[in-house]
Amino acid sequence: MACDCRSENPVRLGEWVEVRVSRTGRLASLEVEDDPSQEILAPGAFTQLSLPLNLYLGGAPSTDMYSPKMKTTASFVGCIQTVILNRREIGILAEALGGVNVGNCGHACEARPCGDAECRPLRDRFTCRCRPGMPHPCPAPDDNTILDSSLVKPNGGTHYERSVPSFSGSESYLHYNDADTMKRIISYRVDINMRFRASSSSGLLLWSGRQADPQEQRDENDDFLALGLDRGYLTLAYNLGSGEAVLRYNLTRLDDDLWHRVRAVRNEQWASLVVDSGTGVSASSPGQLRQLNTDTGLYVGGAPDIVRTTGGRYTKGIVGCISDLVLDSDFSVALSSPGQATNTHSCIP
């Protein structure tokens, strides 16, 4: 069933505007510039889109192709500078199958100000991106160039792009212990949907466990849930108090610095893993206990004193980026505003 989401404020005409749209399951969000995110949850039980038509940008050959639920059938009048779909930049002209009445908007990059480097438009200005083997920076920044990690406001000031956190692998993590997050972790069931890229072959992605007294021996059956990479392969491990289960996704390596989406589901003792909509694998934990009871909160990307925290299961956090983390199909964990952030940075696409 269709649903629509509107920005909080009207879009400013005649100025560059950054719009971010995302959907995970039934949850969709819309962000315009620095305005608060607007979210909407589609009714019903279906969580997958079925889109048989091509992607059209700026308009369509016929208004008959539009859904009758659309509020307007007018084509867009203006300029579109960049389209990034699932973290991949689309070549607006180079990849287009065709176009009608499309003109050049005009930009400083047309004068090739970066020489042999790649000129990337960024609103009214541009960045120069070094090609492999070229020295950095290339060329040296001047009054018209800005760093890749910032955006320029129309009044000339700068603000930072919505944060997609990156992790260094060493004492680098986000921490959450709010009630909304933890009630989705501590239960009989958990559904984790996340998107990440990693350049390290091993590292912790998610952890929730039990606090341990430094003077006491850790109970080998303490409850925990861990998701991470082991020699390039995704591994889910958990203990509900009556024995540990380990589920390893051996069908594809994920340490290729490319974006991957994974889904980890635990329903009482049974659990499954799916990577990039591939074939799922499943396992079950031993014993009779069915509920996860942890009290450390949720660590993302790593954990403090990671060897001790994870009982030696991991020695470092992930080296890479995490762009989405959704629990139970409808709760998006705020990666840009954690309860605590330690040694994290903004991910550069």
Side-chain angles (χ1 to χ4, degrees):
M1 183 177 292
C3 58
D4 60 81
C5 193
R6 295 172 64 88
S7 61
E8 185 177 63
N9 299 305
V11 171
R12 299 185 301 270
L13 299 181
E15 300 179 0
W16 289 110
V17 178
E18 183 179 2
V19 178
R20 298 173 292 273
V21 177
S22 65
R23 183 194 66 84
T24 301
R26 297 187 297 122
L27 180 69
S29 68
L30 171 68
E31 295 180 69
V32 178
E33 291 292 312
D34 294 326
D35 291 347
S37 172
Q38 304 297 308
E39 295 187 342
I40 192 167
L41 189 65
F46 295 107
T47 60
Q48 187 170 351
L49 279 175
S50 179
L51 304 173
L53 298 179
N54 292 327
L55 173 66
Y56 292 94
L57 194 63
S62 170
T63 57
D64 294 338
M65 302 173 67
Y66 297 150
S67 166
K69 297 182 181 296
M70 286 185 61
K71 299 295 191 296
T72 179
T73 58
S75 295
F76 177 68
V77 178
C79 300
I80 298 176
Q81 187 175 97
T82 304
V83 176
I84 298 177
L85 183 62
N86 291 337
R87 302 297 295 177
R88 186 180 83 85
E89 185 172 341
I90 304 298
I92 295 178
L93 296 179
E95 297 184 42
L97 299 176
V100 176
N101 296 328
V102 178
N104 198 329
C105 208
H107 192 273
C109 276
E110 294 179 28
R112 297 192 62 191
C114 297
D116 292 332
E118 179 187 3
C119 182
R120 298 177 59 81
L122 202 53
R123 300 187 186 236
D124 293 321
R125 299 192 183 185
F126 58 89
T127 65
C128 295
R129 175 174 290 183
C130 301
R131 302 188 190 280
M134 294 185 65
H136 185 82
C138 53
D142 56 27
D143 292 339
N144 293 317
T145 61
I146 58 177
L147 297 177
D148 280 349
S149 59
S150 64
L151 297 175
V152 174
K153 288 184 175 179
N155 62 10
T158 62
H159 73 90
Y160 288 97
E161 189 177 7
R162 183 186 65 149
S163 177
V164 171
S166 70
F167 304 87
S168 66
S170 177
E171 290 294 321
S172 177
Y173 58 87
L174 305 177
H175 183 234
Y176 301 84
N177 58 6
D178 58 283
D180 286 334
T181 298
M182 294 315 300
K183 73 180 182 181
R184 291 168 170 85
I185 296 293
I186 305 172
S187 65
Y188 290 95
R189 185 180 188 276
V190 63
D191 187 333
I192 300 168
N193 193 317
M194 67 184 302
R195 189 167 176 269
F196 72 91
R197 73 182 191 194
S199 57
S200 58
S201 61
S202 297
L204 182 66
L205 284 165
L206 298 179
W207 170 270
S208 188
R210 301 282 300 174
Q211 300 278 1
D213 190 311
Q215 305 304 320
E216 296 180 1
Q217 183 71 25
R218 179 183 293 273
D219 187 340
E220 65 178 15
N221 277 331
D222 275 348
D223 287 24
F224 78 90
L225 183 144
L227 185 68
L229 293 185
D230 177 28
R231 287 168 287 183
Y233 295 98
L234 186 69
T235 301
L236 173 67
Y238 60 98
N239 193 328
L240 307 179
S242 57
E244 182 175 337
V246 178
L247 181 55
R248 183 179 172 91
Y249 197 91
N250 285 324
L251 303 179
T252 180
R253 291 183 67 104
L254 302 181
D255 54 346
D256 52 9
D257 205 26
L258 299 176
W259 288 103
H260 296 280
R261 181 170 293 280
V262 305
R263 188 182 183 197
V265 176
R266 184 189 65 82
N267 190 353
E268 297 184 350
Q269 294 173 296
W270 174 87
S272 68
L273 279 178
V274 177
V275 174
D276 295 332
S277 300
T279 303
V281 297
S282 61
S284 183
S285 63
Q288 301 298 318
L289 298 179
R290 300 175 297 159
Q291 184 175 5
L292 183 72
N293 291 292
T294 61
D295 60 10
T296 60
L298 176 66
Y299 289 100
V300 178
D305 193 2
I306 193 167
V307 174
R308 183 177 181 280
T309 297
T310 66
R313 294 175 179 87
Y314 286 91
T315 60
K316 60 183 179 179
I318 200 73
V319 179
C321 306
I322 299 175
S323 67
D324 296 301
L325 175 57
V326 176
L327 305 177
D328 288 354
S329 300
D330 62 1
F331 181 75
S332 181
V333 177
L335 296 175
S336 58
S337 54
Q340 177 189 0
T342 301
N343 297 328
T344 62
H345 303 279
S346 291
C347 187
I348 298 178

